[in-house]
Amino acid sequence: MKHLLKMADLSREEIYKILDLADQMKYNQKNGRPHALLEGKSLAMIFAKSSTRTRVSFEVGMWQLGGHALFMLQEDMQHKRGESIEDTANVLSRYVDGIMIRTYSQKEVEELARYSKVPVINGLTDYSHPCQTLADLMTMREYLASLEGRTAAYIGDGNNVCNSLIVGAVKCGMKIRVAHPPGYAPHEDAVRLAGGALTLTHDPREAAAGADVVYTDVWTSMGQDAEKIERLKAFAGYQVNEDIMKLAAPGAIVQHDLPAHKGEEISEETFKKHENEIYDEAENRLHVQKSVMVLLMGKK
Ligand code: CP
Ligand code: NVA
């Protein structure tokens, strides 16, 4: 493992290695055990889109590991004025020990990784959100004890979060059912990779029936604001609410990568009932990303 660009690049063994170390990171942090495994190391964080969780969890995570993180807005960088990704990658590699990037195109992240001499971590693109999926898998494992043989239902937009979740869940031996309106299917690569472990449907009730985990994300992702009204119409009927949760397995958990638009993709009531699971999922971004950084940037 040289970079973390998308879930498809990780083997099942690598995913479990990340999750196991993340559990250890969480234990260490909760019990005040020193774990300065990245002392003297720096992480550059490049953001072309907004963030609360990703920014804070990477920055705090780096600090807890004894290292340092730099926040950079992509629009402030010389890349915006024409400097190539090749030069940006080569120069940053002379200063820092890792690069985290949140941007629009997956291709750009892959290109950055091609030229970078230090590990590159994808902090979300329009195609994928692997750090989120790793935190989701960590949280599901905490609540369900094991992932193997479990079923997740994803209800909503076949977006970045959905693509990564499909691949991650299937690699860990889960089944996944995605309910999406016509025209909002997940990416064909994720669908192909998942094979028979994925069911696609337009019926949220079919997806939710007997599921151990019910997952949703916003209907309008960053960069899609011009489509908001059209999307509100298309996704009506795709809300995760108590009617849907009644169909899921007894004790089923709810996951949402956040930020949530309560009253749209999830009802206020269902969010409130399941907020601990959802906030645990957000917290686990910290632990799982510390694990990823140690594995990528730590002593080999
Ligand atoms: N879930 C997630 O990535 O949150 P932010 O957009 O706040 O980073
Ligand atoms: N699908 C959402 C995820 C935000 C973390 C977006 O891309 O805006």
Side-chain angles (χ1 to χ4, degrees):
M1 195 176 139
K2 263 177 72 188
H3 304 285
L4 175 60
L5 307 180
K6 54 185 188 300
M7 289 307 294
D9 297 341
L10 296 177
S11 67
R12 178 195 165 89
E13 290 66 37
E14 284 169 327
I15 295 174
Y16 276 107
K17 193 171 172 188
I18 294 168
L19 299 186
D20 291 345
L21 184 60
D23 288 345
Q24 208 181 311
M25 289 290 154
K26 188 167 182 173
Y27 179 85
N28 288 344
Q29 197 242 324
K30 300 270 178 211
N31 292 283
R33 292 199 173 186
H35 52 288
L37 298 168
L38 295 181
E39 211 170 349
K41 306 258 182 183
S42 295
L43 176 78
M45 306 189 299
I46 304 173
F47 284 90
K49 290 175 173 172
S50 306
S51 170
T52 298
R53 279 144 290 273
T54 304
R55 177 181 177 179
V56 176
S57 54
F58 268 105
E59 192 163 333
V60 169
M62 225 14 216
W63 183 82
Q64 290 178 357
L65 291 167
H68 170 250
L70 296 92
F71 174 74
M72 295 148 88
L73 279 176
Q74 200 171 30
E75 67 193 42
D76 290 343
M77 294 174 66
Q78 294 290 9
H79 174 57
K80 270 278 127 114
R81 300 181 59 249
E83 187 168 24
S84 68
I85 292 185
E86 179 174 0
D87 287 350
T88 306
N90 274 308
V91 172
L92 285 178
S93 300
R94 301 287 178 108
Y95 299 132
V96 299
D97 305 282
I99 303 169
M100 193 286 298
I101 178 164
R102 164 170 288 197
T103 190
Y104 293 87
S105 113
Q106 178 77 18
K107 255 193 171 152
E108 189 181 330
V109 175
E110 309 258 350
E111 193 182 345
L112 187 75
R114 193 159 64 244
Y115 293 116
S116 175
K117 308 289 182 289
V118 298
V120 171
I121 300 171
N122 175 356
L124 177 146
T125 64
D126 290 346
Y127 169 68
S128 66
H129 198 0
C131 293
Q132 183 64 53
T133 296
L134 290 167
D136 302 338
L137 294 169
M138 176 179 180
T139 315
M140 291 183 216
R141 191 165 73 153
E142 286 175 344
Y143 277 91
L144 306 173
S146 83
L147 299 172
E148 191 78 37
R150 299 291 194 166
T151 299
Y154 178 99
I155 297 173
D157 188 16
N159 61 14
N160 44 12
V161 166
C162 179
N163 293 333
S164 290
L165 182 71
I166 290 172
V167 178
V170 168
K171 284 199 181 224
C172 289
M174 296 178 76
K175 295 216 169 347
I176 181 160
R177 296 194 288 256
V178 174
H180 65 86
Y184 295 93
H187 196 282
E188 57 188 27
D189 290 354
V191 174
R192 197 180 328 110
L193 224 142
L198 167 70
T199 305
L200 294 177
T201 172
H202 296 317
D203 180 2
R205 304 173 74 83
E206 182 191 342
D212 301 295
V213 182
V214 178
Y215 200 117
T216 190
D217 183 21
V218 290
W219 292 339
T220 303
S221 284
M222 292 182 277
Q224 298 173 335
D225 292 313
E227 300 167 26
K228 189 171 163 77
I229 294 171
E230 187 188 319
R231 283 173 169 270
L232 275 174
K233 274 194 216 137
F235 286 95
Y238 285 83
Q239 186 185 69
V240 171
N241 53 33
E242 290 310 288
D243 285 344
I244 288 290
M245 290 312 294
K246 270 189 217 134
L247 303 170
I253 64 164
V254 172
Q255 297 278 267
H256 191 312
D257 52 291
L258 301 178
H261 288 175
K262 296 174 203 172
E264 292 183 17
E265 76 276 2
I266 188 165
S267 69
E268 289 271 2
E269 187 187 7
T270 299
F271 189 97
K272 194 73 203 159
K273 270 198 181 165
H274 293 273
E275 67 179 9
N276 279 336
E277 297 143 26
I278 297 170
Y279 295 146
D280 281 343
E281 178 187 10
E283 177 187 328
N284 285 338
R285 291 288 304 275
L286 170 72
H287 309 300
V288 98
Q289 289 160 195
K290 283 167 74 179
S291 166
V292 167
M293 290 191 288
V294 168
L295 292 170
L296 289 176
M297 296 158 61
K299 282 199 193 84
K300 294 287 180 287

